[in-house]
Amino acid sequence: MKISTQPMENSQIALNVEMDAAEVEGYIEKAYHRLVKRVAVPGFRKGKTPRNILERQIGHEALLREALDDLLPESYKEALESQKIEAIDQPRIELLQTEPLTFKAVVPLAPTIILGDYKSIKVESKPVEIKDEDVDVAIGQLREQHATLLPVDRPAQFGDVVTMEVEGASEGRTFPIQKNLVYEVLKSARLPLPGFIEQLDGMIKGEEKSFVLSYPSDYEISELAGKDYSFKVKVTEVKKKDLPELDDEFARGLDSENVDTLRQRILEGLKARAEDRARMELEQKALEEVVGLSQVDYPPILVDREIDRLVKEEARHFTEGIEGLVKYLRSMDKTVESYREELRPQAAQRVAWSLVLEKIGEEEEIKVEGAEVDEEIEKMVSNSGEQAETMKKLFSLPEAREPVAKLLLNRKTMKRLVEIAGGSAS
């Protein structure tokens, strides 16, 4: 076996391997002994066909393909050990030629992170201010949520809720009729298509209407831009919202003593959420600053892994999981492959942020103790209800504790980075 290496960009190395004829012959012989037990040749019992007869029957290429199943992974492993190369994931292997048998493996290596002067960055947090108008809007939303729907014998108008049957078609393809579809007639609504909501305004119970809508040519989802959709709608019921009075009785129904305590509770909640958003914006800005100052080199496989995670996260929003996501993408004239490419920039950003944050943790010598992991797990378990015992057993396993430890490490590192960026680090 002859081995040569060639450094590549993005923390990869090319491993070129040329096999000796005797080595290849050994793998072909093993392949023959496997195939001879599976392939029936007229005039011979299975397992007894001579190699030259079997090879004539199936062809040398088939015998070689069988041999490569063992030859490539085993020879690759041997070449790695010979060159003392530590791969972090599976390689991309390409068979270059068969005479002599030569293959190339592109090996992903550990990322290389050279931090810039992250202690010099300065970022400021935005002051959080909640106005009375913000509380009023939140209370209005609560009243909307607790509104009673009352049937009305008049045309639908904005703010009403209609029940309807909808049939759609596009480019000769019809979609199943949706019955008893409840739809709130809001001016801000853009689904299922811009302009759809305006068609409902003024319709009465029992009325049917057919119309065609088009996505704008510059629509943000390019796969839908310029496409026409035809709809047939039948309104089966129109209801108006009867909002509850804003009084102490309404407040008590929301676990508050009176309207004043309800407003105070909402104010505190809005402030807490605003502070969380401000904190996350500050963290993101600080991390972006450090990434901009640093040299971040990593193999593409890390981005592919992150895309896998993002796809799984999105699939959780569908009751059918990944199948539900596939159906949704298909309805948008997209494939999983094209969706993965859309996610690539976001995934690359997340990988860079994660690697830089991990490097800062090393530089700052930030550690997570076992007791901290136990405390975090206890919080998670306490919110799991009937699944508490199952969760405890799960988190007793090292492979389940490790992600929790990493989460805490990232959290502590980010806190430290924000302290540095904000000038409060000691």
Side-chain angles (χ1 to χ4, degrees), residues 32-264:
Y32 157 70
H33 285 293
R34 290 198 301 272
L35 287 174
V36 75
K37 297 174 183 177
R38 305 200 306 258
V39 179
V41 178
F44 297 91
R45 288 182 297 161
K46 275 189 180 180
K48 299 298 183 180
T49 307
R51 175 174 157 181
N52 63 325
I53 302 297
L54 179 69
E55 190 167 347
R56 193 158 58 238
Q57 175 78 11
I58 66 173
H60 179 72
E61 288 298 321
L63 190 59
L64 180 60
R65 282 197 301 272
E66 178 74 18
L68 290 175
D69 288 344
D70 287 339
L71 185 153
L72 291 177
E74 291 180 12
S75 301
Y76 165 72
K77 182 180 179 182
E78 184 179 340
L80 276 188
E81 293 173 351
S82 168
Q83 300 298 308
K84 295 181 172 55
I85 296 173
E86 294 186 13
I88 65 166
D89 211 304
Q90 295 300 313
R92 298 196 315 272
I93 296 181
E94 177 186 2
L95 183 64
L96 301 178
Q97 62 184 45
T98 57
E99 292 292 340
L101 196 146
T102 307
F103 68 87
K104 174 183 177 181
V106 177
V107 186
L109 305 176
T112 301
I113 313 298
I114 302 176
L115 291 176
D117 184 11
Y118 66 92
K119 294 190 176 182
S120 68
I121 67 169
K122 294 289 180 262
V123 293
E124 295 183 3
S125 60
K126 296 179 182 179
V128 172
E129 181 182 3
I130 305 299
K131 300 179 181 178
D132 288 342
E133 293 83 352
D134 299 322
V135 178
D136 292 338
V137 169
I139 288 178
Q141 291 171 345
L142 284 172
R143 293 178 69 201
E144 289 272 350
Q145 292 169 14
H146 290 81
T148 303
L149 296 179
L150 302 176
V152 292
D153 188 19
R154 60 161 173 75
Q157 59 190 36
F158 289 112
D160 287 342
V161 175
V162 300
T163 304
M164 57 187 179
E165 296 178 1
V166 180
E167 183 177 358
S170 176
E171 299 180 342
R173 183 176 59 175
T174 60
F175 304 102
I177 297 175
Q178 298 185 61
K179 296 184 178 182
N180 299 320
L181 182 65
V182 178
Y183 203 89
E184 190 171 0
V185 187
L186 297 174
K187 287 185 178 181
S188 59
R190 299 188 67 201
L191 296 176
L193 201 73
F196 183 90
I197 199 69
E198 285 76 9
Q199 296 292 332
L200 302 181
D201 183 29
M203 291 186 69
I204 63 174
K205 181 178 179 179
E207 181 180 354
E208 294 186 14
K209 181 188 285 190
S210 296
F211 51 91
V212 177
L213 296 174
S214 301
Y215 282 101
S217 58
D218 59 349
Y219 194 64
E220 56 264 32
I221 303 176
S222 59
E223 291 82 357
L224 299 178
K227 287 195 173 182
D228 296 333
Y229 283 79
S230 61
F231 294 93
K232 184 178 179 181
V233 174
K234 179 180 180 180
V235 172
T236 57
E237 194 165 29
V238 179
K239 294 181 179 181
K240 72 172 184 178
K241 288 184 177 181
D242 185 33
L243 301 184
E245 291 293 329
L246 179 57
D247 52 23
D248 291 347
E249 182 180 352
F250 174 70
R252 284 192 291 272
L254 296 174
D255 297 325
S256 296
E257 292 181 10
N258 50 47
V259 173
D260 289 339
T261 55
L262 175 63
R263 291 185 65 89
Q264 182 61 31

Side-chain angles (χ1 to χ4, degrees), residues 133-398:
E133 293 83 352
D134 299 322
V135 178
D136 292 338
V137 169
I139 288 178
Q141 291 171 345
L142 284 172
R143 293 178 69 201
E144 289 272 350
Q145 292 169 14
H146 290 81
T148 303
L149 296 179
L150 302 176
V152 292
D153 188 19
R154 60 161 173 75
Q157 59 190 36
F158 289 112
D160 287 342
V161 175
V162 300
T163 304
M164 57 187 179
E165 296 178 1
V166 180
E167 183 177 358
S170 176
E171 299 180 342
R173 183 176 59 175
T174 60
F175 304 102
I177 297 175
Q178 298 185 61
K179 296 184 178 182
N180 299 320
L181 182 65
V182 178
Y183 203 89
E184 190 171 0
V185 187
L186 297 174
K187 287 185 178 181
S188 59
R190 299 188 67 201
L191 296 176
L193 201 73
F196 183 90
I197 199 69
E198 285 76 9
Q199 296 292 332
L200 302 181
D201 183 29
M203 291 186 69
I204 63 174
K205 181 178 179 179
E207 181 180 354
E208 294 186 14
K209 181 188 285 190
S210 296
F211 51 91
V212 177
L213 296 174
S214 301
Y215 282 101
S217 58
D218 59 349
Y219 194 64
E220 56 264 32
I221 303 176
S222 59
E223 291 82 357
L224 299 178
K227 287 195 173 182
D228 296 333
Y229 283 79
S230 61
F231 294 93
K232 184 178 179 181
V233 174
K234 179 180 180 180
V235 172
T236 57
E237 194 165 29
V238 179
K239 294 181 179 181
K240 72 172 184 178
K241 288 184 177 181
D242 185 33
L243 301 184
E245 291 293 329
L246 179 57
D247 52 23
D248 291 347
E249 182 180 352
F250 174 70
R252 284 192 291 272
L254 296 174
D255 297 325
S256 296
E257 292 181 10
N258 50 47
V259 173
D260 289 339
T261 55
L262 175 63
R263 291 185 65 89
Q264 182 61 31
R265 207 177 95 202
I266 291 174
L267 174 65
E268 292 171 357
L270 290 174
K271 185 176 180 181
R273 288 193 290 274
E275 288 173 346
D276 283 342
R277 287 194 299 271
R279 174 183 54 78
M280 288 188 288
E281 289 176 6
L282 186 64
E283 291 173 351
Q284 179 175 325
K285 188 174 180 181
L287 197 50
E288 285 176 346
E289 291 276 349
V290 182
V291 171
L293 295 173
S294 305
Q295 297 179 37
V296 186
D297 197 38
Y298 55 85
I301 189 65
L302 295 187
V303 176
D304 292 331
R305 283 186 192 168
E306 189 60 36
I307 292 174
D308 290 341
R309 278 191 282 270
L310 289 171
V311 170
K312 288 179 181 178
E313 286 177 12
E314 186 63 27
R316 291 194 191 103
H317 297 136
F318 297 85
T319 55
E320 298 176 336
I322 190 66
E323 288 301 319
L325 175 60
V326 170
K327 290 178 182 177
Y328 170 74
L329 292 174
R330 194 179 296 133
S331 72
M332 304 284 283
D333 290 333
K334 293 183 181 181
T335 63
V336 174
E337 290 70 25
S338 65
Y339 179 59
R340 288 178 64 88
E341 286 308 306
E342 289 180 12
L343 293 174
R344 191 166 294 278
Q346 179 187 353
Q349 183 184 64
R350 285 174 61 154
V351 168
W353 287 3
S354 176
L355 292 172
V356 166
L357 193 62
E358 183 179 350
K359 190 67 175 178
I360 293 173
E362 293 175 5
E363 291 291 322
E364 294 294 314
E365 298 182 346
I366 295 174
K367 306 292 182 185
V368 171
E369 303 298 333
E372 294 175 281
V373 177
D374 292 337
E375 184 179 349
E376 184 67 20
I377 289 174
E378 188 60 37
K379 290 179 184 177
M380 298 167 70
V381 169
S382 64
N383 294 325
S384 58
E386 296 178 357
Q387 300 295 320
E389 288 304 316
T390 303
M391 294 281 284
K392 283 182 180 180
K393 291 180 181 178
L394 172 65
F395 283 115
S396 65
L397 303 173

